[in-house]
Amino acid sequence: MYAIFVVGGKQYRAQEGDVLFVEKLEGAEGEEVVFDKVLLAGDKVGQPYLEGAKVTGTIEKHGRGKKIVVFKYKSKKNERKKQGHRQAFTKVSIKAIEA
């Protein structure tokens, strides 16, 4: 059985035992986290969320992704701006899905 749930404005599809990289969450490594905004679990579909459904996981680690370079310029104006960005993430392993 799989579930689709919302974390940080994004939707994720997960089964028990999956490892996901989601937007940064509050909490220490090894702490349990519960996602209650479940859109779909098994054959049940919510409108928009399922009542009483939840996805439980464990925070494995926090980190930052690879650097991307943001380069903006205006042609013929000698305007250039270069900056980098590293998106913060939390690695979560899914333990249980309750529908």
Side-chain angles (χ1 to χ4, degrees):
M1 177 171 76
Y2 69 91
I4 297 176
F5 58 97
V6 178
V7 180
K10 296 181 181 161
Q11 296 178 5
Y12 296 92
R13 178 187 190 271
Q15 294 178 333
E16 291 183 20
D18 282 357
V19 176
L20 301 175
F21 292 90
V22 299
E23 297 296 312
K24 186 174 181 194
L25 301 172
E26 297 295 322
E29 294 178 9
E31 197 171 297
E32 192 170 280
V33 62
V34 176
F35 306 111
D36 57 352
K37 292 186 176 182
V38 179
L39 300 169
L40 181 141
D43 57 351
K44 298 178 187 173
V45 179
Q47 294 181 357
Y49 303 118
L50 279 173
E51 302 247 346
K54 62 183 178 178
V55 177
T56 307
T58 305
I59 296 175
E60 289 188 11
K61 75 173 197 171
H62 297 288
R64 291 171 70 190
K66 295 181 79 170
K67 181 180 274 192
I68 62 166
V69 176
V70 181
F71 187 74
K72 298 179 182 179
Y73 81 103
K74 305 257 189 220
S75 60
K76 304 177 191 138
K77 304 286 189 245
N78 199 22
E79 278 186 46
R80 287 162 172 71
K81 181 179 181 181
K82 180 180 178 181
Q83 68 187 90
H85 176 75
R86 292 179 67 191
Q87 185 67 33
F89 68 84
T90 300
K91 184 178 178 182
V92 176
S93 66
I94 304 301
K95 288 170 51 176
I97 297 172
E98 297 175 27

